[in-house]
Amino acid sequence: MSVQKPSLPKGTRDFGPLQMARRNFILDTIKDTFKLFGFQQLETPAMENLSTLTGKYGDEGDQLLFKILNSGEFLKNVTQEDLEVGGSAVLPKVSEKGLRYDLTVPFARYVVMNRNEISFPFKRFQIQPVWRADRPQRGRYREFYQCDADIVGTDSLLCELEIILMIKRVFANLGLKDYSIKINNRKILTGLSEVIGEAGREGELCVAIDKLDKIGWQKVQEELLDRNFTQDAIHRLSPIIDLKEGNQAKLEFLKSYLADSAIGLQGIGELEEVLHMLQSYGDNQEFVDFDVVLARGLSYYTGAIFEVKVHHVSIGSVSGGGRYDNLTGVFGLDGVSGVGFSFGVDRLYDVMDELGLFPEENLERTQVLITYFDQKGFAYGLKILNGLRKSGIAAELYPDQAKIKKQFTYADKKQIPFVVILGDNEMELGKLSVKELSSGKQETLSLEEFVMKLK
Amino acid sequence: MSVQKPSLPKGTRDFGPLQMARRNFILDTIKDTFKLFGFQQLETPAMENLSTLTGKYGDEGDQLLFKILNSGEFLKNVTQEDLEVGGSAVLPKVSEKGLRYDLTVPFARYVVMNRNEISFPFKRFQIQPVWRADRPQRGRYREFYQCDADIVGTDSLLCELEIILMIKRVFANLGLKDYSIKINNRKILTGLSEVIGEAGREGELCVAIDKLDKIGWQKVQEELLDRNFTQDAIHRLSPIIDLKEGNQAKLEFLKSYLADSAIGLQGIGELEEVLHMLQSYGDNQEFVDFDVVLARGLSYYTGAIFEVKVHHVSIGSVSGGGRYDNLTGVFGLDGVSGVGFSFGVDRLYDVMDELGLFPEENLERTQVLITYFDQKGFAYGLKILNGLRKSGIAAELYPDQAKIKKQFTYADKKQIPFVVILGDNEMELGKLSVKELSSGKQETLSLEEFVMKLK
């Protein structure tokens, strides 16, 4: 075998010990919350049949699927004619599987295949990597984790409440304090297009309004004109742009603004109901921000729409979702509606990093390194090692007989906070010399005293 | 879009809520142990460059790699000539990435790429799926998890001790009580072939002896003769076959049997040293079984060899590993030796299942379902829900207004052990009616009393 200089595929990453500890901190926080709220974990295979995946993400999505070459003689069914036609004719004959592109389609497939065993309402969460052959760039990877929770088989607005509550709990436990849970309702957007006299055009309307923050109201008006919205419609829209702050004020305004749209008022009613439940639960509207123009991939959502933005960081949206009507229709099972949302784990990581919210030290580090001078110290160290681990303290004995300095360097690099030094004196007294590396403070303790100190 | 009946690719599986809870029980037990022993987690991408993967697993392994089709115009570099040659000429032009086949090669790649940042000895663990285009059959999947721990950069026999201790801890915590940690040393096998007069042929010797349990000593002798071992060598081997039970007895015998082999005696010495350390640690040899003919993929191992067998189950080996000399040589970095081993998670799952060691109930289930009769009960239920969750109790409120019977069915199917019933009486008194589903016992408690009962 020739010697190669190894490399990673474009757009992929290794996660070393420090990154893993930080990722686990985020993922464990999310998992704990999902379980506290009664969600159950699901895992699906990385590989799905291409028949399951294609046609679900639009033409661009189909292009971005990673396809797996059939095993064995993969060319065996390819004809000369196929080759002349090119990739489109050859692809179906050389590949029948692809890598998961998101967690929603595999979830829909799972629900259809297991519909007789599942008891609805079904609350599931799923935390797994997905793959997309996107052009890699800063913050965009070809392999990344998604972290989805969905409730299917109920129309109850309790689901919307639970999503808000879960986001609040996760963010509180991560130490994130400056963010907004933006919330809207598809029915309000439909009502909006009705009352400005452009019924059914909420999709186009939202695409344009979505750019408000970036390009300003003047440019948005120009875009709407380009899209053949009437001057009158644009004029009627302007109160929405100047909407007052505060959920209550917005709701009051919208109630009269949408007075002529039954569906619009229904959307307002649903939103009010969710906020009312929040109060009954004993929580408040802190962090919750009714955003009349929030749209997010409008085509999928039929009711509530969510998006979470962290303030004062370069990365904006870290979570989003909404209510949908028909999860499984494409696989022949109608009537499975639900609400879902997703945490962007990579984005949360970057946000936590940018805000300096991760503790300095490795969160999963070893607590104690035992060092020694000679064979006698090593044997004594083994006993101490056992005692520490029996108390649940992550501990290591330096494996090789080496200079104390080298052993300390190991502790230092691995960010192990306490070093035990076993010299003849300590062994005679049955004690431990314990040095705390951050302060340099050294003391002599019994094993029991040391365990007490660490607990 | 046409309606399809969805299916899973051959050899892959979904893991539903109950299976996930059980898998997590196993994986969390293993992870806890790894961390207690100072191992740090690593994750590598599912996709690796084919240049990293090919040539590492033999010709058969190369065949079993799942290859990923290049994105975009994958046929663009393929010439008419390539097509006439066939798959071998076309493959390198249409695919440059593959799916991870094991965790060892990605680990070696990681060590080489990060050698300047890693502080050695480096103790890492890695728990991720791997993919192999094997023919699927019972217990053999195309996607399955591996669960590896390695220590590289030290020759200390402490590593061997730690492997034994970690296996014992994991098995104790899983409730597995009838198993053997078989242990041997490559040097003993080398010594064996020396003293029977067939120096250097320990590989062939072990392939034959490995079948002893299945085909018996008579057939093993025939195979050795077929392989041109001398009658004399086979005769000299026979005491090994009839070896007494007990590690100490075996070691004593081997010391005289291998008296003429320096390397053989070195192997014995290493094994004795590990057992001696086990004693210093304050543990004993229970479950540890010196097996003179244990070989396991001999070519890789240079020192200790491990294999764990659970008794009285159809699946035998659930874990194995050993010491190796040169992890990273193939990527141009020499001198990285280490010890590693791997838990077979799918096999452990099957063993636990066969022995009935999983608890009856779902390990990650919701503890409490709150049921109610009307809107007033729902609003009151929201407050109770909040109270339970604040105490860390996984709780749900039934989302829809439905008959109590339907709400109980939900609890039953989801194996939720306690149901709270909120009627007018309970709400007036500020109490909860709590029913334990397993016993049918019902009592009236305050929220605080109920929380105390659950804790």
PDB file of all heavy atoms in Angstrom, chain A residues 100-122:
ATOM      1  N   ARG A 100     -30.305  10.223   3.372  1.00  0.00           N
ATOM      2  CA  ARG A 100     -31.358  11.055   3.983  1.00  0.00           C
ATOM      3  C   ARG A 100     -31.075  12.542   3.762  1.00  0.00           C
ATOM      4  O   ARG A 100     -29.969  13.003   4.020  1.00  0.00           O
ATOM      5  CB  ARG A 100     -31.308  10.725   5.472  1.00  0.00           C
ATOM      6  CG  ARG A 100     -32.372  11.261   6.333  1.00  0.00           C
ATOM      7  CD  ARG A 100     -32.290  10.592   7.701  1.00  0.00           C
ATOM      8  NE  ARG A 100     -30.955  10.701   8.278  1.00  0.00           N
ATOM      9  CZ  ARG A 100     -30.383   9.759   9.026  1.00  0.00           C
ATOM     10  NH1 ARG A 100     -31.006   8.642   9.315  1.00  0.00           N
ATOM     11  NH2 ARG A 100     -29.172   9.933   9.497  1.00  0.00           N
ATOM     12  N   TYR A 101     -32.069  13.292   3.289  1.00  0.00           N
ATOM     13  CA  TYR A 101     -31.905  14.713   2.975  1.00  0.00           C
ATOM     14  C   TYR A 101     -32.471  15.584   4.099  1.00  0.00           C
ATOM     15  O   TYR A 101     -32.045  16.710   4.315  1.00  0.00           O
ATOM     16  CB  TYR A 101     -32.640  14.989   1.666  1.00  0.00           C
ATOM     17  CG  TYR A 101     -32.572  16.389   1.130  1.00  0.00           C
ATOM     18  CD1 TYR A 101     -31.506  16.777   0.313  1.00  0.00           C
ATOM     19  CD2 TYR A 101     -33.569  17.327   1.419  1.00  0.00           C
ATOM     20  CE1 TYR A 101     -31.451  18.063  -0.204  1.00  0.00           C
ATOM     21  CE2 TYR A 101     -33.516  18.613   0.908  1.00  0.00           C
ATOM     22  CZ  TYR A 101     -32.451  18.975   0.096  1.00  0.00           C
ATOM     23  OH  TYR A 101     -32.387  20.249  -0.423  1.00  0.00           O
ATOM     24  N   ASP A 102     -33.458  15.044   4.786  1.00  0.00           N
ATOM     25  CA  ASP A 102     -34.003  15.699   5.983  1.00  0.00           C
ATOM     26  C   ASP A 102     -34.596  14.607   6.864  1.00  0.00           C
ATOM     27  O   ASP A 102     -34.458  13.418   6.554  1.00  0.00           O
ATOM     28  CB  ASP A 102     -35.041  16.784   5.624  1.00  0.00           C
ATOM     29  CG  ASP A 102     -36.355  16.204   5.102  1.00  0.00           C
ATOM     30  OD1 ASP A 102     -36.491  14.966   5.007  1.00  0.00           O
ATOM     31  OD2 ASP A 102     -37.255  17.000   4.796  1.00  0.00           O
ATOM     32  N   LEU A 103     -35.250  15.004   7.964  1.00  0.00           N
ATOM     33  CA  LEU A 103     -35.840  13.987   8.840  1.00  0.00           C
ATOM     34  C   LEU A 103     -37.356  13.876   8.655  1.00  0.00           C
ATOM     35  O   LEU A 103     -37.983  12.993   9.229  1.00  0.00           O
ATOM     36  CB  LEU A 103     -35.521  14.305  10.310  1.00  0.00           C
ATOM     37  CG  LEU A 103     -34.031  14.419  10.641  1.00  0.00           C
ATOM     38  CD1 LEU A 103     -33.841  14.755  12.122  1.00  0.00           C
ATOM     39  CD2 LEU A 103     -33.293  13.125  10.319  1.00  0.00           C
ATOM     40  N   THR A 104     -37.921  14.750   7.831  1.00  0.00           N
ATOM     41  CA  THR A 104     -39.380  14.791   7.684  1.00  0.00           C
ATOM     42  C   THR A 104     -39.879  13.679   6.779  1.00  0.00           C
ATOM     43  O   THR A 104     -40.839  12.976   7.119  1.00  0.00           O
ATOM     44  CB  THR A 104     -39.816  16.175   7.146  1.00  0.00           C
ATOM     45  OG1 THR A 104     -39.303  17.174   8.025  1.00  0.00           O
ATOM     46  CG2 THR A 104     -41.328  16.276   7.091  1.00  0.00           C
ATOM     47  N   VAL A 105     -39.244  13.509   5.620  1.00  0.00           N
ATOM     48  CA  VAL A 105     -39.675  12.459   4.697  1.00  0.00           C
ATOM     49  C   VAL A 105     -39.487  11.065   5.306  1.00  0.00           C
ATOM     50  O   VAL A 105     -40.406  10.238   5.259  1.00  0.00           O
ATOM     51  CB  VAL A 105     -38.970  12.623   3.324  1.00  0.00           C
ATOM     52  CG1 VAL A 105     -39.144  11.382   2.463  1.00  0.00           C
ATOM     53  CG2 VAL A 105     -39.519  13.854   2.601  1.00  0.00           C
ATOM     54  N   PRO A 106     -38.320  10.778   5.942  1.00  0.00           N
ATOM     55  CA  PRO A 106     -38.213   9.475   6.612  1.00  0.00           C
ATOM     56  C   PRO A 106     -39.266   9.284   7.718  1.00  0.00           C
ATOM     57  O   PRO A 106     -39.783   8.182   7.906  1.00  0.00           O
ATOM     58  CB  PRO A 106     -36.802   9.501   7.216  1.00  0.00           C
ATOM     59  CG  PRO A 106     -36.038  10.438   6.348  1.00  0.00           C
ATOM     60  CD  PRO A 106     -37.031  11.498   5.939  1.00  0.00           C
ATOM     61  N   PHE A 107     -39.601  10.372   8.417  1.00  0.00           N
ATOM     62  CA  PHE A 107     -40.643  10.285   9.451  1.00  0.00           C
ATOM     63  C   PHE A 107     -41.986   9.938   8.810  1.00  0.00           C
ATOM     64  O   PHE A 107     -42.715   9.059   9.289  1.00  0.00           O
ATOM     65  CB  PHE A 107     -40.723  11.605  10.221  1.00  0.00           C
ATOM     66  CG  PHE A 107     -41.845  11.684  11.219  1.00  0.00           C
ATOM     67  CD1 PHE A 107     -42.051  10.660  12.135  1.00  0.00           C
ATOM     68  CD2 PHE A 107     -42.682  12.791  11.265  1.00  0.00           C
ATOM     69  CE1 PHE A 107     -43.085  10.731  13.068  1.00  0.00           C
ATOM     70  CE2 PHE A 107     -43.717  12.872  12.190  1.00  0.00           C
ATOM     71  CZ  PHE A 107     -43.915  11.838  13.091  1.00  0.00           C
ATOM     72  N   ALA A 108     -42.306  10.606   7.706  1.00  0.00           N
ATOM     73  CA  ALA A 108     -43.567  10.324   7.006  1.00  0.00           C
ATOM     74  C   ALA A 108     -43.590   8.865   6.553  1.00  0.00           C
ATOM     75  O   ALA A 108     -44.595   8.160   6.728  1.00  0.00           O
ATOM     76  CB  ALA A 108     -43.727  11.263   5.812  1.00  0.00           C
ATOM     77  N   ARG A 109     -42.462   8.399   5.999  1.00  0.00           N
ATOM     78  CA  ARG A 109     -42.379   6.990   5.572  1.00  0.00           C
ATOM     79  C   ARG A 109     -42.613   6.054   6.757  1.00  0.00           C
ATOM     80  O   ARG A 109     -43.357   5.080   6.680  1.00  0.00           O
ATOM     81  CB  ARG A 109     -41.006   6.708   4.940  1.00  0.00           C
ATOM     82  CG  ARG A 109     -40.840   5.246   4.555  1.00  0.00           C
ATOM     83  CD  ARG A 109     -39.414   4.839   4.256  1.00  0.00           C
ATOM     84  NE  ARG A 109     -38.439   5.176   5.263  1.00  0.00           N
ATOM     85  CZ  ARG A 109     -38.364   4.629   6.471  1.00  0.00           C
ATOM     86  NH1 ARG A 109     -39.240   3.716   6.864  1.00  0.00           N
ATOM     87  NH2 ARG A 109     -37.425   5.009   7.309  1.00  0.00           N
ATOM     88  N   TYR A 110     -41.980   6.386   7.908  1.00  0.00           N
ATOM     89  CA  TYR A 110     -42.121   5.555   9.111  1.00  0.00           C
ATOM     90  C   TYR A 110     -43.580   5.496   9.559  1.00  0.00           C
ATOM     91  O   TYR A 110     -44.092   4.421   9.895  1.00  0.00           O
ATOM     92  CB  TYR A 110     -41.241   6.102  10.236  1.00  0.00           C
ATOM     93  CG  TYR A 110     -41.384   5.346  11.542  1.00  0.00           C
ATOM     94  CD1 TYR A 110     -40.647   4.185  11.776  1.00  0.00           C
ATOM     95  CD2 TYR A 110     -42.267   5.776  12.530  1.00  0.00           C
ATOM     96  CE1 TYR A 110     -40.788   3.486  12.959  1.00  0.00           C
ATOM     97  CE2 TYR A 110     -42.426   5.079  13.712  1.00  0.00           C
ATOM     98  CZ  TYR A 110     -41.682   3.932  13.922  1.00  0.00           C
ATOM     99  OH  TYR A 110     -41.829   3.234  15.093  1.00  0.00           O
ATOM    100  N   VAL A 111     -44.235   6.650   9.565  1.00  0.00           N
ATOM    101  CA  VAL A 111     -45.631   6.699  10.018  1.00  0.00           C
ATOM    102  C   VAL A 111     -46.501   5.819   9.113  1.00  0.00           C
ATOM    103  O   VAL A 111     -47.330   5.039   9.586  1.00  0.00           O
ATOM    104  CB  VAL A 111     -46.162   8.150  10.050  1.00  0.00           C
ATOM    105  CG1 VAL A 111     -47.669   8.181  10.263  1.00  0.00           C
ATOM    106  CG2 VAL A 111     -45.459   8.941  11.160  1.00  0.00           C
ATOM    107  N   VAL A 112     -46.285   5.914   7.799  1.00  0.00           N
ATOM    108  CA  VAL A 112     -47.095   5.118   6.874  1.00  0.00           C
ATOM    109  C   VAL A 112     -46.820   3.627   7.068  1.00  0.00           C
ATOM    110  O   VAL A 112     -47.741   2.822   7.164  1.00  0.00           O
ATOM    111  CB  VAL A 112     -46.810   5.530   5.410  1.00  0.00           C
ATOM    112  CG1 VAL A 112     -47.499   4.590   4.437  1.00  0.00           C
ATOM    113  CG2 VAL A 112     -47.270   6.967   5.189  1.00  0.00           C
ATOM    114  N   MET A 113     -45.555   3.252   7.182  1.00  0.00           N
ATOM    115  CA  MET A 113     -45.208   1.833   7.310  1.00  0.00           C
ATOM    116  C   MET A 113     -45.631   1.240   8.657  1.00  0.00           C
ATOM    117  O   MET A 113     -45.771   0.029   8.783  1.00  0.00           O
ATOM    118  CB  MET A 113     -43.708   1.624   7.091  1.00  0.00           C
ATOM    119  CG  MET A 113     -43.271   1.789   5.634  1.00  0.00           C
ATOM    120  SD  MET A 113     -41.471   1.620   5.399  1.00  0.00           S
ATOM    121  CE  MET A 113     -41.228  -0.121   5.797  1.00  0.00           C
ATOM    122  N   ASN A 114     -45.793   2.098   9.670  1.00  0.00           N
ATOM    123  CA  ASN A 114     -46.118   1.590  11.015  1.00  0.00           C
ATOM    124  C   ASN A 114     -47.453   2.118  11.530  1.00  0.00           C
ATOM    125  O   ASN A 114     -47.685   2.153  12.738  1.00  0.00           O
ATOM    126  CB  ASN A 114     -44.996   1.965  11.998  1.00  0.00           C
ATOM    127  CG  ASN A 114     -43.668   1.337  11.628  1.00  0.00           C
ATOM    128  OD1 ASN A 114     -43.407   0.189  11.972  1.00  0.00           O
ATOM    129  ND2 ASN A 114     -42.845   2.072  10.891  1.00  0.00           N
ATOM    130  N   ARG A 115     -48.328   2.513  10.606  1.00  0.00           N
ATOM    131  CA  ARG A 115     -49.553   3.208  11.040  1.00  0.00           C
ATOM    132  C   ARG A 115     -50.431   2.351  11.931  1.00  0.00           C
ATOM    133  O   ARG A 115     -51.169   2.879  12.757  1.00  0.00           O
ATOM    134  CB  ARG A 115     -50.338   3.722   9.834  1.00  0.00           C
ATOM    135  CG  ARG A 115     -50.777   2.660   8.841  1.00  0.00           C
ATOM    136  CD  ARG A 115     -51.488   3.344   7.684  1.00  0.00           C
ATOM    137  NE  ARG A 115     -51.866   2.462   6.621  1.00  0.00           N
ATOM    138  CZ  ARG A 115     -51.058   2.069   5.633  1.00  0.00           C
ATOM    139  NH1 ARG A 115     -49.787   2.458   5.627  1.00  0.00           N
ATOM    140  NH2 ARG A 115     -51.481   1.269   4.676  1.00  0.00           N
ATOM    141  N   ASN A 116     -50.347   1.029  11.790  1.00  0.00           N
ATOM    142  CA  ASN A 116     -51.210   0.176  12.608  1.00  0.00           C
ATOM    143  C   ASN A 116     -50.666  -0.047  14.020  1.00  0.00           C
ATOM    144  O   ASN A 116     -51.388  -0.448  14.914  1.00  0.00           O
ATOM    145  CB  ASN A 116     -51.421  -1.173  11.914  1.00  0.00           C
ATOM    146  CG  ASN A 116     -52.165  -0.992  10.599  1.00  0.00           C
ATOM    147  OD1 ASN A 116     -53.046  -0.139  10.508  1.00  0.00           O
ATOM    148  ND2 ASN A 116     -51.780  -1.748   9.581  1.00  0.00           N
ATOM    149  N   GLU A 117     -49.364   0.192  14.217  1.00  0.00           N
ATOM    150  CA  GLU A 117     -48.779   0.021  15.550  1.00  0.00           C
ATOM    151  C   GLU A 117     -48.734   1.336  16.326  1.00  0.00           C
ATOM    152  O   GLU A 117     -48.728   1.342  17.543  1.00  0.00           O
ATOM    153  CB  GLU A 117     -47.343  -0.524  15.454  1.00  0.00           C
ATOM    154  CG  GLU A 117     -47.259  -1.991  15.062  1.00  0.00           C
ATOM    155  CD  GLU A 117     -47.502  -2.192  13.576  1.00  0.00           C
ATOM    156  OE1 GLU A 117     -46.896  -1.471  12.780  1.00  0.00           O
ATOM    157  OE2 GLU A 117     -48.343  -3.051  13.230  1.00  0.00           O
ATOM    158  N   ILE A 118     -48.656   2.454  15.591  1.00  0.00           N
ATOM    159  CA  ILE A 118     -48.519   3.746  16.264  1.00  0.00           C
ATOM    160  C   ILE A 118     -49.825   4.119  16.948  1.00  0.00           C
ATOM    161  O   ILE A 118     -50.892   3.964  16.374  1.00  0.00           O
ATOM    162  CB  ILE A 118     -48.150   4.847  15.235  1.00  0.00           C
ATOM    163  CG1 ILE A 118     -46.750   4.602  14.676  1.00  0.00           C
ATOM    164  CG2 ILE A 118     -48.235   6.238  15.861  1.00  0.00           C
ATOM    165  CD1 ILE A 118     -46.390   5.500  13.500  1.00  0.00           C
ATOM    166  N   SER A 119     -49.730   4.616  18.195  1.00  0.00           N
ATOM    167  CA  SER A 119     -50.946   5.148  18.803  1.00  0.00           C
ATOM    168  C   SER A 119     -50.900   6.667  18.702  1.00  0.00           C
ATOM    169  O   SER A 119     -49.978   7.323  19.168  1.00  0.00           O
ATOM    170  CB  SER A 119     -51.085   4.661  20.250  1.00  0.00           C
ATOM    171  OG  SER A 119     -50.258   5.371  21.113  1.00  0.00           O
ATOM    172  N   PHE A 120     -51.911   7.199  18.034  1.00  0.00           N
ATOM    173  CA  PHE A 120     -51.986   8.649  17.813  1.00  0.00           C
ATOM    174  C   PHE A 120     -52.724   9.301  18.973  1.00  0.00           C
ATOM    175  O   PHE A 120     -53.601   8.673  19.544  1.00  0.00           O
ATOM    176  CB  PHE A 120     -52.715   8.927  16.481  1.00  0.00           C
ATOM    177  CG  PHE A 120     -51.953   8.430  15.288  1.00  0.00           C
ATOM    178  CD1 PHE A 120     -52.241   7.191  14.730  1.00  0.00           C
ATOM    179  CD2 PHE A 120     -50.922   9.192  14.759  1.00  0.00           C
ATOM    180  CE1 PHE A 120     -51.512   6.723  13.642  1.00  0.00           C
ATOM    181  CE2 PHE A 120     -50.200   8.734  13.656  1.00  0.00           C
ATOM    182  CZ  PHE A 120     -50.506   7.492  13.097  1.00  0.00           C
ATOM    183  N   PRO A 121     -52.477  10.549  19.314  1.00  0.00           N
ATOM    184  CA  PRO A 121     -51.443  11.429  18.771  1.00  0.00           C
ATOM    185  C   PRO A 121     -50.039  10.875  19.040  1.00  0.00           C
ATOM    186  O   PRO A 121     -49.774  10.382  20.128  1.00  0.00           O
ATOM    187  CB  PRO A 121     -51.638  12.744  19.525  1.00  0.00           C
ATOM    188  CG  PRO A 121     -52.900  12.616  20.307  1.00  0.00           C
ATOM    189  CD  PRO A 121     -53.293  11.200  20.343  1.00  0.00           C
ATOM    190  N   PHE A 122     -49.171  10.969  18.035  1.00  0.00           N
ATOM    191  CA  PHE A 122     -47.814  10.430  18.122  1.00  0.00           C
ATOM    192  C   PHE A 122     -46.833  11.590  18.247  1.00  0.00           C
ATOM    193  O   PHE A 122     -46.761  12.456  17.384  1.00  0.00           O
ATOM    194  CB  PHE A 122     -47.535   9.603  16.867  1.00  0.00           C
ATOM    195  CG  PHE A 122     -46.184   8.937  16.841  1.00  0.00           C
ATOM    196  CD1 PHE A 122     -45.632   8.344  17.976  1.00  0.00           C
ATOM    197  CD2 PHE A 122     -45.451   8.886  15.655  1.00  0.00           C
ATOM    198  CE1 PHE A 122     -44.389   7.722  17.937  1.00  0.00           C
ATOM    199  CE2 PHE A 122     -44.207   8.260  15.601  1.00  0.00           C
ATOM    200  CZ  PHE A 122     -43.679   7.679  16.748  1.00  0.00           C
TER     201      PHE A 122
END
